[in-house]
Amino acid sequence: MAYVALSEAEKTFILHGVEEDFRCDGRSRRDYRPMELETGLVSNASGSARLRLANTDILVGIKTEIDVPDPLTPEFGKLEFFVDCSANATPEFEGRGGSDLAQELVLALENAYESPLAFDYRTLCLIPGQQCWKLYIDILILECGGNLHDAVSLAAKAALHNTKLPRVTASLLDAGVTDLIISDNPYDCTRLTIDTVPLLVTVCKIGDYCLVDPSAEEEACSTVSIVVSVSMRNGEAFLSGSHMTGGGAMHRDTMRNCLNLGLSIGEQLNTLLAKVLKQEEERVGPKRPKTVGFLK
Amino acid sequence: MQTLREFTRKTKRGNILKIVREHYLRDDIGCGSDLCKYCFQNEVYQLTSKHEIASSLFKFPHYLVLDTNVVLDQIDVLEEDVLHNVIVLTTVLNEVKHKSSSIYKRFNEIIHDRTRNFYVFVNEHHKDTYADRDPGETANDRNDRAIRMATKWYDTHLETSQSSKEFEQSGMANTRVVLLTDDAGNRAKAEAEGILVASASEYVKSLEDFPLLLDKLSHKTFDNEKQALPQYPAHLSMKQVLEGLRLKKLLQGAFQASRENYLEGSVNVETYEKGILIQGRECLNRAVDGDLVAVELLPESEWSAPSEIVLEEKNVYADDVPSEERAEEEKDMLKQVQQAAAAASAERTPTGRIVGIVRRKWRQYCGILQPSLIENTNRHIFVPADRKIPRIRIETRQAAKLQNQRIIVTIDTWPRNSRYPQGHFVRSLGPLGDMATENEVILLEHDVPHCKFSEEVLSFLPKLPWSITAEDYAKRVDLRELDICSVDPPGCTDIDDALHCRELPNGNFEVGVHIADVSHFIRPGNALDKEAAARGTTVYLVGKRIDMVPELLSSNLCSLVGGVERFAFSCVWEVDKEANVIDKRFHKSVIKSKRAMTYEEAQVLIDDATQQSEIAKSLRHLNRLAKILKKRRMDNGALVLASPEIRFQVDSETHEPLEVEAKQMRETNSMVEEFMLLANITVAEHIAAEFTECAVLRRHPKPPPTNFDPLVKAARYQGFQVDTETGLVLSHSLDKCVKEDNPYFNTMIRILTTRCMMQAVYFISGSLQKEEFFHYGLAAPIYTHFTSPIRRYSDIMVHRLLAASIGADSTYAQLLERKSNEELCHNLNYRHKMAQYAARASVGLNTHLFFRGKEEDEEGYVLFVRKNALQVLIPKYGLEGTLYLKTDKDGKDGVERTKSEVIFTFNEEDHTQRCGNVVFHSFDPVSVRLSLDSSNVQHEKLVFRLVKPYIKGFSVETSTDADIPPTKKTKKDTKKKN
């Protein structure tokens, strides 16, 4: 994690603020910082999104490829996450500096997406046992301002929503192998349903209290956090995975509190994200005239 | 200005990619009209007010914009020099190119004709006329919209130019832009947008000055469906194939395409003697010659007979859809064949269709690129040299460079929706017609390993300077004092046999055959040995030799050249005066050949009575003994066979053939041959006795009686009875086939006999019963190859076995292993067969080169009388060819038949062709004119034309060559159904 230099006094100040439920930037413990989201801004990718959470800046691009399903799960498609910690974010990421962090994020996402209840891999299947889509979810961290897990998962979900898979029809069965035919209309696409796609919520323990969306400074004060992945099904929030980061330990009750907090926050985030994405699409229409993001 | 174009594309490997391209829009593209005052015109005006056309529909000057469908359907109208001032949009041009390359080419020619005033407007890159594709819009709709946009733009653009005061003062009528389209939807939309529009036929009708143009109007609409539809039935999956084979529903075998007819082939299946016939494109179902396929037998009612038609595929172009017509043609042909077969039910053979491919045997193919219609296209059709292989679609950017080269192409896939397999360019062999290139083609096509010997192989050669050590002398019998000599064809550098003969005190003779001791140099198991085993044999092409072992061995250390000490493996007999073998022994030796002679020199030495040297004497003894041996062999039933063999005199610089001569047989040839046979048989007996399980032997199976049918029939027509019961009887009856008036008759009968024979093969003694060891041609109960180890690997194996048996060399595990030896034999048989074919192909190639630009009248003989042709043999060149005649059967076949044409009648009874009072029998002497037909670069062929006997209207006029009657026939012209 990006290193932030804090003095003892500063740490105490932050700690006291959390105790008072009035954090340095005026938020309560359950509040998020403001976010900016834009999708479909990378024209070369099948789906893309850029999310800015205060100072944290994430760009996600999704590429598609045709692959052969694993023999054990012939009806499942495939996902592959890749996180690149850009040296733009912090000089520490230079070279292989960010690889540990990247690895951690990839593991957290894979863990969250692992269950077929969280992500319906069947939608990526073309011909069971023969051909399926493989999505490469490439995540680029452009700036680190704390709470990477949440930001990354939000951006990934938004990018999945934006992903357009060319419509493929199967034909020409030859020697048991099917040939695929793609529609010549680039607008003739299928979309993924992202209702159940999980989000990660980092619940951070500072002092005796738990809070969400820690800023980089707050992360420096925390001894332990728990990353909760929340998936929505039929309007209800489910836990699809969790893992702890940081060196400290957690009491059983605290952990239960954290999980509950994560779940309820996750539910809110999911609904909000769905709403925002819907709004954006209505505003932009199927053919994006111009991107407003930093890439233009 | 720039915009993005997005599209999805499927890669070769089946992946689907989203591709985004930047598309640049410009504001400096001129409209090409001389009316315009605004545009920057980068070339001379193409649209001028000079050409005005009177149309009753549009009674003012106008420019035309063509829709794609108008170009495709009415290209004939466009080619007429009537329409001028036409704006060609790049949208339209691209669509035309995509749909039909031939129309595109014609259209391009019109565009390049400056007098036609066709202006290409790059609307796709013009900032005002570029149409971005809307969601939900098909590609076609988008193109229509782009066309309308451009038309509209032109109209308003010209209007602004013409609204100036100056123009009004000039008093000229306003020029408008008219869109011609046959698409009702597009037309309706154009009208709604206020564009002047008409259909092609309306417009052409409105041209009062050109009423005749109406005739050119096409009413057919261009078929818009571009392939995509599968042209072949699907193959079964591997699982289904295996299941089918297990349940015996399907049969498995190697597919053999027919050389003559590209729509026919057969599958060799064990249970069917003649194989299963496959007819028609769909039944062939993408099988390529050599593939292991699964076949489904058709019900007996649908069985057919081989068509015996020569059918060559016509040229096609890479971008073209196979036209309906051709598919129809093929179907018709198939139907006819099947009906004919139904009539002659006796000839019907099991017929099937290919349902799956078990294993592809695709290799790399030599051939040439077919010239393509469009310039700068990447897609091309490759025509393989081997006619059994279908054309192959390839993509290459260097077509222009490869146009006149022999190239190698390999097949990648053959999808169901493609008429031809798809492949890629591998490498170029060199320019067409070049001797080195053509030799390379022959070697590749016959799978002859001919690359240079690798460093590793060469590392096992003895180091130079090489000399014989004292140790060697101690191990070997010293025969340096004997008068040994070798007799070989002229120019031979790989001498592997030498002979000697001397009188013994007891009045008997000691005869020795000394064979180069190659196995001394090639030790088993090393790289050199492996390479030699893989090559199997030395391949002789005209003017070129592809060695089995590196030259140091073949032409130097192993070669028994005169006057030099060499290692040999000797087989020495003691024979009495009547050539009966009294004693025999084998040993390794050191010899010093006194002289290396040619057959001719040896013959002179024998015949010249004044020569009394030891060599001359021993040669005379040998010659006498050989005659006795030969007689004895003949009495046993050995066959004297004949096959016309020729030699080329090759120019040492250009490697082009200068002269052709038939090989001469002298007594000395037969002398050497007899002793080699004796040595081979003696060694065969010895090793077969020593190694009952793993001796390498050679057998020649007796041909099945049906093989002799053509021979027996041919002889019967001439009034001779050929008995084929046993070799002995056959040999006797062949001797009797002599005709006083036709000295060549006997040779021809023997040539026919040769063709009835089976292939002789190597085998391992343990794999067959003793009775099957028989060599039919030589009438020997056992035989092997021992005498040419420099050029045959089998002989090296025999040498090793022999050496092991006499304790001259150690054995090793592999030598005695039956399995590996069997595999080796298999490879040797294959290599030998291929080497023979390659040699024959090389002779054929040189014959063609020899006749290039030449015409010669030659004496020949009719070998066979066929239903539509005479098979003619030219003894001088050992050449056989077909002289096509046309038959008079109902006149169905002769499309280009003229009335004056000569009519031949075929008599089935005695196999003769009659025309007037001229009758052709088999074996009749004829005189033919030979010339080379180079119309097909890939398959040049010799054309035979009759000179004598003279038939008016058919034979070549000997006096006036300029007026050659229509007898020059290609195979296509003589397509026949019977």
Side-chain angles (χ1 to χ4, degrees), chain B residues 335-522:
Chain B
K335 219 189 244 165
Q336 280 174 4
V337 169
Q338 277 162 355
Q339 279 167 356
S345 56
E347 286 175 17
R348 294 199 330 185
T349 55
T351 309
R353 63 191 179 94
I354 292 171
V355 293
I357 305 283
V358 180
R359 191 160 4 107
R360 288 288 192 190
K361 282 279 173 63
W362 289 342
R363 54 184 175 95
Q364 298 189 332
Y365 304 100
C366 302
I368 52 169
L369 216 55
Q370 182 176 296
S372 126
L373 268 186
I374 317 178
E375 274 172 54
N376 300 326
T377 176
N378 288 342
R379 300 167 59 189
H380 294 275
I381 294 274
F382 164 82
V383 188
D386 190 346
R387 274 192 224 193
K388 293 199 261 183
I389 308 299
R391 276 133 216 252
I392 301 169
R393 238 180 246 285
I394 61 165
E395 283 188 31
T396 173
R397 282 172 210 280
Q398 40 179 342
K401 208 181 101 197
L402 301 178
Q403 208 53 260
N404 285 313
Q405 306 224 312
R406 292 260 178 209
I407 59 170
I408 297 187
V409 157
T410 182
I411 302 185
D412 299 327
T413 64
W414 195 341
R416 278 179 67 195
N417 56 359
S418 167
R419 185 184 173 87
Y420 297 123
Q422 291 167 355
H424 65 262
F425 168 71
V426 178
R427 69 191 167 95
S428 164
L429 295 175
L432 209 64
D434 184 66
M435 199 62 206
T437 312
E438 301 296 340
N439 273 339
E440 179 89 6
V441 171
I442 288 175
L443 294 176
L444 283 169
E445 281 297 311
H446 294 95
D447 193 18
V448 176
H450 60 283
C451 48
K452 277 197 188 131
F453 289 97
S454 68
E455 282 301 313
E456 197 197 353
V457 168
L458 295 177
S459 72
F460 286 99
L461 290 177
K463 300 282 169 292
L464 285 178
W466 175 85
S467 60
I468 301 175
T469 61
E471 203 183 327
D472 290 325
Y473 286 123
K475 271 196 207 156
R476 292 168 179 268
V477 179
D478 189 349
L479 299 180
R480 282 178 289 171
E481 297 311 315
L482 288 181
D483 289 308
I484 295 171
C485 62
S486 64
V487 185
D488 283 286
C492 177
T493 58
D494 49 351
I495 303 169
D496 39 22
D497 49 70
L499 296 158
H500 89 273
C501 177
R502 65 173 175 183
E503 250 184 296
L504 293 175
N506 62 3
N508 287 345
F509 291 99
E510 183 194 73
V511 178
V513 167
H514 311 277
I515 307 297
D517 191 6
V518 180
S519 61
H520 172 85
F521 295 100
I522 301 182

Side-chain angles (χ1 to χ4, degrees), chain A residues 43-46 64-66 133 166 168 172-176 179-180 182-187 286-287, chain B residues 4 6 8-10 14-16 18 20 132-137 139 230 234-237 286 416-417:
Chain A
S43 58
N44 299 51
S46 297
T64 57
E65 217 173 69
I66 304 265
W133 286 109
V168 170
L172 289 172
L173 191 78
D174 193 21
D179 207 13
L180 296 178
I182 40 167
S183 152
D184 76 325
N185 185 353
Y187 296 100
K287 194 174 167 184
Chain B
L4 294 173
E6 282 182 21
T8 37
R9 212 188 65 151
K10 210 171 127 188
N15 215 340
I16 291 173
K18 178 183 177 186
V20 182
D132 202 9
R133 187 163 174 179
D134 286 332
E137 198 177 37
H235 286 148
L236 297 182
S237 70
R286 293 170 283 158
R416 278 179 67 195
N417 56 359

Side-chain angles (χ1 to χ4, degrees), chain B residues 922-949:
Chain B
S922 295
F923 309 111
D924 277 355
V926 287
S927 184
V928 288
R929 175 164 298 178
L930 304 174
S931 62
L932 194 65
D933 172 19
S934 306
S935 57
N936 183 346
V937 214
Q938 181 97 287
H939 301 289
E940 287 185 325
K941 54 189 167 226
L942 275 173
V943 181
F944 284 61
R945 283 174 297 171
L946 191 64
V947 178
K948 246 182 355 193

Side-chain angles (χ1 to χ4, degrees), chain B residues 159-283:
Chain B
E159 201 179 298
T160 47
S161 289
Q162 293 176 95
S163 59
S164 69
K165 278 241 168 66
E166 289 165 54
F167 187 81
E168 275 167 28
Q169 279 163 3
S170 72
M172 269 163 34
N174 251 11
T175 301
R176 298 285 306 271
V177 179
V178 175
L179 172 66
L180 293 190
T181 178
D182 285 338
D183 181 336
N186 196 16
R187 182 173 178 175
K189 277 182 193 156
E191 273 166 355
E193 288 167 24
I195 298 169
L196 297 175
V197 64
S199 77
S201 60
E202 281 171 358
Y203 184 77
V204 171
K205 275 176 203 159
S206 78
L207 300 177
E208 291 144 351
D209 298 345
F210 304 97
L212 293 179
L213 199 59
L214 258 179
D215 301 350
K216 294 243 169 190
L217 262 181
S218 152
H219 300 287
K220 171 191 97 183
T221 46
F222 190 83
D223 192 8
N224 256 345
E225 293 302 312
K226 192 180 158 76
Q227 346 209 351
L229 288 172
Q231 303 190 10
Y232 295 96
H235 286 148
L236 297 182
S237 70
M238 205 56 208
K239 215 167 123 193
Q240 288 169 300
V241 168
L242 292 177
E243 183 76 9
L245 289 173
R246 198 173 58 82
L247 296 173
K248 303 255 185 314
K249 274 186 194 159
L250 305 177
L251 297 158
Q252 178 182 319
F255 173 69
Q256 252 188 334
S258 153
R259 203 179 285 276
E260 276 84 34
N261 184 339
Y262 71 99
L263 291 176
E264 212 170 82
S266 69
V267 175
N268 297 329
V269 179
E270 272 180 27
T271 41
Y272 292 85
E273 197 190 328
K274 278 185 175 171
I276 296 174
L277 179 72
I278 314 283
Q279 269 180 343
R281 191 172 285 281
E282 277 180 18
C283 288

Side-chain angles (χ1 to χ4, degrees), chain A residues 114-120 196-197 231-233:
Chain A
E114 196 182 14
S115 159
L117 291 174
F119 184 85
D120 189 1
T196 59
V197 172
S231 161
M232 295 287 286
R233 235 176 308 136

